[in-house]
Amino acid sequence: MAYSFPEEVLEYVFAFLSSDKDRNAVSLVCKSWYEIERWCRRRVFIGNCYAVSPQIVIRRFPEVRAVKIKGKPHFADFNLVPERWGAYVYPWISAMARSYPWLEEIKLKRMVVTDESLELISKSFKNFKVLMLSSCEGFTTDGLSSIAANCRNLRELDLRESDVEDLSGHWLSHFPDNFTSLVSLNMSCLGSEVSFSALERLVSRCPNLKTLRLNRAVPVEKLASLLRRAPQLVEFGTGAYSTEIRTDIFSNLVGAFSGCKHLKSLSGFWDVVPAYLPAMYCVCSRITSLNLSYATVQSPDLVELISQCPNLKCLWVLDYIEDAGLKALSSYCKDLQELRVFPSDPYSAEPNVSLTEQGLVTVSAGCPKLQSVLYFCRQMSNAALVAIARNRPNLIRFRLCIIEPQAPDYLTLEPLDTGFGAIVEHCKELRRLSLSGLLTDRVFEYIGTHAKKLEMLSIAFAGDSDLGLHYVLSGCESLRKLEIRDCPFGDKALLANAAKLETMRSLWMSSCSVSYGACKLLGQKMPNLNVEVIDERGPPDSRPKTCPVEKLYVYRTVAGPRADKPDFVWTMDEDGALRLS
Amino acid sequence: MSPESETSGGLKTELTLGLPGDLQVQKSGIKRGFSEVVDLKLVNDSKAESQPPSTTQVVGWPPVRSYRKNLVKNCKYVKVAADGAPYLRKIDLEIHSSYQDLLTAMGDMFTCLTICNVLNERKLVDSANGEEYVPTYEDKDGDWMLVGDVPWKMFVESCKRMRLMKSSEAIGLGAAAPSTPSKGSSTSC
């Protein structure tokens, strides 16, 4: 005779569980807990839209209010995934429109979103509040018009880094005059000019507006008017920050900024004219996040600005900052947690700025809280990497891109195995790592041995043999995402570690040495994986089995092979049941 | 005076871009007629010595998002479609210095196509079936033009996207009313 808590009590307790991991654990305790939990789960995160179907999600979780779905693999950001590959959101929207009338939030990343989908969203969910489209594509500003016109309770519209077909700026004018609920608007990726008076009126009538990221088309002389209407802003992104210097514009801007007592984050700064940067000095002391990655400004001007931001936690900047600027950063910004340095001229063979490994070493020494790094540079040494590792064992994300593929340690001309080895050995909490430079199988041995918390690994132009891949797949216990390009990894390691792939979200391999035969075998062996071959040269069947495939994408799924493949993608052993009998 | 005879230079290595057919109607006044087409000079007449892959030739490397590339002034990415190829590519016009360079890059990208210099025409040929492709582009005004009509810098300035069109379909392009290829494709710039 078992007594248990009444359902209502359990539900009340479960409501305190926000993490998916906890809720999943709770669901496994017993059938009744599974049942109770599934009825009260409100947020669902789907890391791979093809790992599950909308029907399966809806069947299990009938009362969801917020979904987050990711589509294409990460390498799609760098044009390695062909157009028309997939990740269409429409089937999800249409299923949810029928089953989740109370849906409030949709957050999508790397998915194809059509105007039709946006219109359906705007008409199906009466209490819709949050739309975030991160690195999405397939829609136009007409789709945005539907959202603006129909979502009466919209709070957030965030289009970050999406590729929108910009037909006109007219969409913004579709927000009705009685629409006042906006909290966050990020339109920075759009090209067209919106009606400025419509924007002003929108900002004026939304008292809860906290985030406003403008697009490049909004000139600097218009900023003051917006800031004065929204002094409560916490996050602000400028448009183009250049114009001929006029003292009245400048002083107006200073006045407007000084009224913003809550600003913590600044971004934008396209085409920045350095003389306008001091307009922001009055807010710098509160600034925790600064995105200057579009600011083509020289180091001294950057340093002037940064030196006023002692509370800076996150800095994105171009390599114009140079080693000298990073040295200043390390002395002024002791709270720094995240640094991203982007290349101003990624394609020239010669360095155009004086930014080397030294800058990163200095920051690693001077900023004790630094945990997240993305750094593009043209030279690196094992000594520098070892120093960084020793300085910053608290690193969680370390993404290093040495621009020239297979560049060795510039001092010793050796591979950078030891350096990256030191990173994984010292940084025991490392969750994400991107490698570059000259690397042998040895670095993968270090990674397999030490990187026990590593969840995502990106590899390019590295390794000597299958052994490298084998070390990673057999050693990295926490690995979820592995993406590889242009490495001599082939069949043996892949097939020997087939079971590992079921414990991961996905594996991407392009321009490697995996044969069609091995892909077929993998597909046959592993029914819970979709093994997808991408090949422009036509059906893989028309070439010998030993022929390497162009691109391979393997992911675990409970939804079976996908039905929306384009003509250059083949799922291995789709009709496995027929073949095995 | 035929345009071709004016532009054929004395040197064997000089090549010109131009098309047989009528002069196009000048819209903006700055687009040149065939009598003033650009001369191209080949550095080597054989294929370039094989070089180690430099960063300019590797797809997707360094791993920089395309919206970051177009922001720094010296980059200009345009989409390139080839009739019959399953997917689009992107090419950075700024890193090429001439039409020859561009065509080489396009030949590299669409690996089944090789450059074929026939008379004064610049084409790409599918070695498998002999099908000829002509490079065309959509300019700022929305017109589809043949690649090579205007000086290189002007082309880079005005090109919005490119299409390798089958020769048979390209007839009539460059004439008075440039025909626009169907825009019904699922991808758009």
Side-chain angles (χ1 to χ4, degrees):
Chain A
M1 228 174 12
Y3 287 87
S4 56
F5 284 124
E7 258 186 47
E8 295 80 11
V9 175
L10 281 171
E11 221 182 283
Y12 181 78
V13 172
F14 292 172
F16 291 96
L17 299 175
S18 51
S19 103
D20 285 340
K21 271 186 84 175
D22 289 342
R23 281 188 164 264
N24 292 343
V26 145
S27 305
L28 292 175
V29 167
C30 63
K31 282 196 181 139
S32 67
W33 280 37
Y34 175 93
E35 276 301 307
I36 296 165
E37 193 283 320
R38 78 182 187 91
W39 280 94
C40 68
R41 191 172 309 206
R42 298 281 175 263
R43 313 189 76 88
V44 175
F45 168 66
I46 295 150
N48 173 5
C49 62
Y50 291 120
V52 70
S53 72
Q55 290 69 29
I56 293 173
V57 175
I58 290 168
R59 196 171 63 218
R60 180 169 173 190
F61 301 117
E63 296 283 343
V64 162
R65 298 277 185 274
V67 289
K68 181 169 178 180
I69 313 174
K70 293 187 176 181
K72 299 183 198 176
H74 173 240
F75 273 175
D77 285 356
F78 316 121
N79 301 328
L80 289 179
V81 177
E83 310 240 351
R84 295 185 299 112
W85 176 83
Y88 304 105
V89 81
Y90 189 80
W92 289 89
I93 306 298
S94 119
M96 294 191 299
R98 287 190 293 275
S99 305
Y100 292 155
W102 299 111
L103 192 69
E104 295 177 3
E105 280 185 29
I106 296 176
K107 295 184 180 177
L108 306 174
K109 187 165 186 179
R110 291 194 200 97
M111 294 201 77
V112 176
V113 181
T114 55
D115 287 347
E116 208 187 356
S117 300
L118 291 175
E119 194 178 346
L120 190 55
I121 290 171
S122 76
K123 299 202 165 136
S124 309
F125 309 114
K126 298 301 170 205
N127 205 23
F128 194 68
K129 296 198 169 102
V130 173
L131 182 64
M132 183 184 292
L133 303 175
S134 174
S135 302
C136 294
E137 55 166 3
F139 61 104
T140 77
T141 40
D142 284 352
L144 299 179
S145 299
S146 306
I147 298 288
N150 300 321
C151 300
R152 297 302 164 115
N153 298 310
L154 193 70
R155 295 212 186 132
E156 290 181 35
L157 178 60
D158 186 334
L159 305 172
R160 54 178 71 174
E161 298 164 19
S162 288
D163 187 4
V164 186
E165 190 177 342
D166 202 327
L167 301 172
S168 86
H170 196 59
W171 64 274
L172 190 97
S173 309
H174 284 262
F175 283 112
D177 290 337
N178 60 359
F179 170 74
T180 59
S181 51
L182 201 61
V183 174
S184 170
L185 177 63
N186 180 353
M187 46 181 252
S188 53
C189 62
L190 297 179
S192 293
E193 204 177 327
V194 298
S195 152
F196 190 70
S197 61
L199 180 58
E200 274 182 322
R201 280 180 281 119
L202 178 65
V203 168
S204 291
R205 65 177 185 271
C206 294
N208 297 319
L209 192 67
K210 298 280 187 297
T211 298
L212 179 63
R213 306 252 191 224
L214 302 169
N215 65 343
R216 199 172 182 173
V218 180
V220 71
E221 58 262 28
K222 300 220 165 125
L223 297 182
S225 159
L226 292 170
L227 289 171
R228 284 189 208 281
R229 288 160 200 261
Q232 75 283 3
L233 278 178
V234 176
E235 300 181 326
F236 182 63
T238 75
Y241 213 61
S242 71
T243 189
E244 55 174 89
I245 321 298
R246 277 173 41 191
T247 37
D248 57 330
I249 294 180
F250 183 82
S251 54
N252 201 8
L253 196 51
V254 173
F257 269 117
S258 60
C260 296
K261 308 288 187 201
H262 305 277
L263 266 184
K264 290 223 165 78
S265 165
L266 289 173
S267 62
F269 304 113
W270 288 277
D271 312 310
V272 59
V273 165
Y276 272 110
L277 288 173
M280 298 182 307
Y281 286 176
C282 52
V283 299
C284 282
S285 61
R286 285 180 292 269
I287 291 295
T288 56
S289 170
L290 200 47
N291 182 353
L292 293 166
S293 62
Y294 306 125
T296 50
V297 167
Q298 300 306 312
S299 184
D301 297 305
L302 292 168
V303 170
E304 261 302 316
L305 184 59
I306 288 166
S307 62
Q308 321 246 349
C309 305
N311 291 311
L312 199 61
K313 290 194 163 78
C314 176
L315 176 66
W316 291 21
V317 73
L318 286 170
D319 55 9
Y320 289 128
I321 194 166
E322 299 191 323
D323 289 343
L326 291 174
K327 187 167 179 197
L329 175 70
S330 71
S331 68
Y332 289 115
C333 304
K334 292 302 187 188
D335 262 3
L336 195 71
Q337 292 175 12
E338 176 175 335
L339 174 67
R340 296 196 192 193
V341 178
F342 295 96
S344 52
D345 195 358
Y347 300 103
S348 83
E350 295 308 308
N352 58 326
V353 291
S354 177
L355 179 108
T356 69
E357 81 283 7
Q358 196 47 51
L360 185 56
V361 173
T362 312
V363 177
S364 74
C367 298
K369 299 191 189 163
L370 187 70
Q371 49 174 232
S372 183
V373 170
L374 170 64
Y375 199 77
F376 283 81
C377 61
R378 286 189 157 83
Q379 66 184 43
M380 188 49 62
S381 67
N382 284 309
L385 286 169
V386 170
I388 292 165
R390 291 207 174 123
N391 289 336
R392 287 282 61 77
N394 50 324
L395 282 173
I396 292 178
R397 286 172 218 99
F398 188 72
R399 298 158 71 186
L400 179 67
C401 179
I402 306 161
I403 288 178
E404 187 63 35
Q406 299 174 331
D409 176 328
Y410 77 100
L411 295 169
T412 64
L413 298 183
E414 285 170 359
L416 291 168
D417 300 336
T418 327
F420 279 107
I423 294 281
V424 292
E425 196 184 334
H426 290 268
C427 306
K428 303 198 196 304
E429 300 300 314
L430 197 69
R431 296 202 302 252
R432 183 167 181 182
L433 178 63
S434 300
L435 305 170
S436 57
L438 182 65
L439 297 164
T440 71
D441 284 344
R442 180 121 287 171
V443 73
F444 300 112
E445 190 181 358
Y446 295 143
I447 291 173
T449 307
H450 294 287
K452 296 304 181 188
K453 302 265 180 84
L454 192 66
E455 296 179 6
M456 181 169 179
L457 179 61
S458 309
I459 310 173
F461 307 103
D464 308 311
S465 75
D466 264 30
L467 209 45
L469 180 58
H470 175 69
Y471 285 135
V472 170
L473 289 176
S474 57
C476 296
E477 291 160 7
S478 309
L479 197 62
R480 292 190 298 113
K481 290 179 280 184
L482 180 57
E483 48 185 26
I484 304 171
R485 62 162 298 175
D486 294 274
C487 295
F489 299 150
D491 302 347
K492 282 208 324 247
L494 195 59
L495 293 172
N497 292 283
K500 171 73 174 172
L501 299 177
E502 264 186 11
T503 70
M504 292 165 53
R505 181 184 297 171
S506 65
L507 166 69
W508 169 279
M509 293 179 74
S510 56
S511 306
C512 296
S513 313
V514 181
S515 73
Y516 172 51
C519 294
K520 279 177 63 144
L521 197 51
L522 188 63
Q524 280 165 13
K525 267 175 80 166
M526 309 295 297
N528 293 327
L529 296 178
N530 277 352
V531 179
E532 292 182 4
V533 166
I534 299 171
D535 214 309
E536 185 194 11
R537 300 167 295 179
D541 265 325
S542 61
R543 288 180 294 279
K545 272 202 188 151
T546 49
C547 190
V549 300
E550 278 182 354
K551 301 175 190 195
L552 173 66
Y553 186 49
V554 181
Y555 55 91
R556 66 180 175 188
T557 182
V558 295
R562 57 178 177 118
D564 62 357
K565 295 191 295 289
D567 52 14
F568 51 85
V569 175
W570 291 269
T571 304
M572 297 295 98
D573 201 46
E574 212 165 330
D575 50 353
L578 295 170
R579 258 182 241 178
L580 288 172
S581 62
Chain B
M1 256 189 315
S2 90
E4 283 84 16
S5 66
E6 272 207 11
T7 52
S8 43
L11 295 172
K12 253 193 188 163
T13 52
E14 275 185 21
L15 286 178
T16 60
L17 276 179
L19 278 188
D22 304 332
L23 282 171
Q24 78 201 68
V25 171
Q26 301 305 320
K27 274 191 98 174
S28 60
I30 52 169
K31 295 173 187 172
R32 294 181 177 182
F34 286 115
S35 56
E36 295 172 287
V37 295
V38 178
D39 284 350
L40 289 184
K41 291 178 176 28
L42 267 184
V43 177
N44 307 305
D45 37 14
S46 60
K47 263 195 170 149
E49 300 295 306
S50 65
Q51 292 160 2
S54 77
T55 51
T56 53
Q57 292 168 19
V58 180
V59 174
W61 190 267
V64 178
R65 304 280 308 268
S66 45
Y67 62 80
R68 291 199 178 279
K69 293 170 191 163
N70 281 325
L71 287 158
V72 181
K73 279 158 218 170
N74 51 357
C75 285
K76 183 171 175 173
Y77 267 77
V78 296
K79 294 188 185 184
V80 183
D83 289 352
Y87 39 105
L88 296 190
R89 309 281 189 168
K90 285 186 187 161
I91 201 168
D92 179 4
L93 296 179
E94 285 291 344
I95 63 174
H96 299 290
S97 46
S98 65
Y99 286 113
Q100 173 63 15
D101 218 20
L102 175 67
L103 254 78
T104 309
M106 284 168 72
D108 287 344
M109 261 185 193
F110 297 96
T111 49
C112 47
L113 303 177
T114 48
I115 302 177
C116 170
N117 304 319
V118 176
L119 300 173
N120 294 320
E121 299 170 357
R122 175 59 40 77
K123 289 188 180 145
L124 291 161
V125 179
D126 186 342
S127 36
N129 57 19
E131 182 85 55
E132 283 180 353
Y133 294 82
V134 224
T136 65
Y137 72 103
E138 184 182 12
D139 72 3
K140 274 192 212 169
D141 302 328
D143 300 319
W144 282 87
M145 316 285 292
L146 284 155
V147 166
D149 287 355
V150 302
W152 172 253
K153 281 283 173 210
M154 192 180 297
F155 163 72
V156 171
E157 216 0 65
S158 61
C159 172
K160 271 173 38 183
R161 57 178 161 155
M162 294 181 63
R163 178 177 156 197
L164 283 176
M165 206 181 281
K166 290 195 177 146
S167 261
S168 45
E169 281 182 42
I171 292 171
L173 219 66
S179 59
T180 316
S182 91
K183 292 195 175 163
S185 61
S186 56
T187 53
S188 51
C189 293

